[in-house]
Amino acid sequence: MSTLIETGPYKLLNKDSTDRLSRKATEKLLQLKRSENLSETEYNDITPKQKQPPRIYSVSKIYKTDVSLRPIVSCVNTLAYDLSGYLARILSLLTEETVQAALHRLNNDPSLPDRTALTPPQIADLLNFVLRSTYFKYNGALYDQQERATMGILFSAVIADLYMKAFEEQTEATAPEPPRICKRYVDDNLTVTKQHNVDNFLSHLSQQHLSIRFTMETENSNKITFLDTLVTREPDETAQETKHLSALLVANGYPPYFLQKVTKTRLPTPERKTAECKSTAVLLYIKGVSELLRRHLRQQGIRTVFKSDTTLRYRLVRPKDPADPNKQDGVVYKIPCSCSKVYIRKTGRPMQERMKEHDRDIRLARTQNSAVPEHAN
């Protein structure tokens, strides 16, 4: 992971920029609220409240030999988390459009006012802010991501899909020999093309953008894995049978509409009977015990799913840096006193801010705010 940080598009920061970015985001949102482009509820929902910096972790890519780790930045409970979710909801209906048409779609989309009162330029400004707030914490140090959208932001998938939609259309339109079939899921493609065109099309893909490089896996024994699914290419005997049947029908004088009807007939798929379960139990697997337990629970109409206490995720995922407890919100805290009394409360504010408020109340003798200054004075 350290090597990935050192060689990737990341820059070491000298200080935590959370407070600065939080103030900047609040200023932008306050302007939008004052101009009535954001309602009071929307403003309260997406205004930054958390003070934790994003934290990076990695997931092993066991199917790749050159790059074994996929970095993911956890933006949960960070300053831009709620804002990115709000933007994701606005953009989610544009996933079928190209990036070039997205702005045009926003300007002419009659349903846009139903999703937000923001104008397309205002949406673009907020998008730009969130995409530029790509810093994270790793091993106690803070880094800024210089390029690309961060995996972990709520609208990253929407942005990626918008871009890849335009990317694939441009690629297929400019390819000397477009593939016969090209199916995509985010950045994974299943392509069917002629054998002589495989390397040429791969080279064409990699020439579309300097920062995007594709790798390729070809079928082995008529089989290839795509999105954890084994795809098998089998000889098309049905086509030969249909052709033979069509020739016989034509030779015997049957009309074209009857020929079309017969060749499109499909046998009905028999229905599979599945046992109905009243509920599902997820249990820890214990060899020799779990099998017996499953049989007994099945008799009671309970489906059993077993799990292991040691998962691949536990083995392969590099954990995030621990969260700073002083910057956590939604915590229960305790303040002890030398007289043996304690003050216990819950706060939705970051812990360090709440402690500063207590200190200020004690110093200014604001006894009406809580029992802490009242007891201290």
Side-chain angles (χ1 to χ4, degrees), residues 29 56 92 110 122 141-142 145 153 161 170 174 210 234 240 267-268 278 325 347 360:
L29 296 174
I56 195 170
S92 60
Q122 290 170 336
L142 291 162
Q145 184 168 330
I153 298 178
D161 198 53
Q170 173 188 334
T174 57
L210 295 176
E234 297 180 351
Q240 296 179 357
L267 295 176
K278 295 182 291 186
T347 179
R360 191 182 307 115

Side-chain angles (χ1 to χ4, degrees), residues 264-290:
K264 285 189 175 182
T265 302
R266 296 289 185 270
L267 295 176
T269 303
E271 295 184 0
R272 297 177 60 185
K273 294 183 178 180
T274 57
E276 293 186 2
C277 296
K278 295 182 291 186
S279 60
T280 300
V282 181
L283 305 172
L284 190 66
Y285 179 78
I286 302 175
K287 186 177 181 180
V289 177
S290 298

Side-chain angles (χ1 to χ4, degrees), residues 94-100 156-172 182-189 205 208-209 211-214:
L94 299 178
T95 54
E96 296 301 322
E97 303 292 333
T98 64
V99 173
Q100 291 84 353
S156 288
V158 180
I159 293 294
D161 198 53
L162 283 169
Y163 181 80
M164 291 307 298
K165 178 70 174 179
F167 183 91
E168 69 180 356
E169 290 188 355
Q170 173 188 334
T171 301
E172 293 184 23
C182 190
K183 298 295 182 181
R184 176 183 60 84
Y185 181 79
V186 188
D187 60 348
D188 291 314
N189 291 269
L205 281 172
Q208 301 305 305
H209 197 286
S211 299
I212 300 178
R213 289 292 178 267
F214 286 82

Side-chain angles (χ1 to χ4, degrees), residues 275-281 294-304:
E276 293 186 2
C277 296
K278 295 182 291 186
S279 60
T280 300
R294 170 180 281 170
R295 287 197 296 270
H296 286 295
L297 291 176
R298 186 185 300 146
Q299 295 173 0
Q300 305 300 321
I302 301 174
R303 186 171 70 98
T304 310

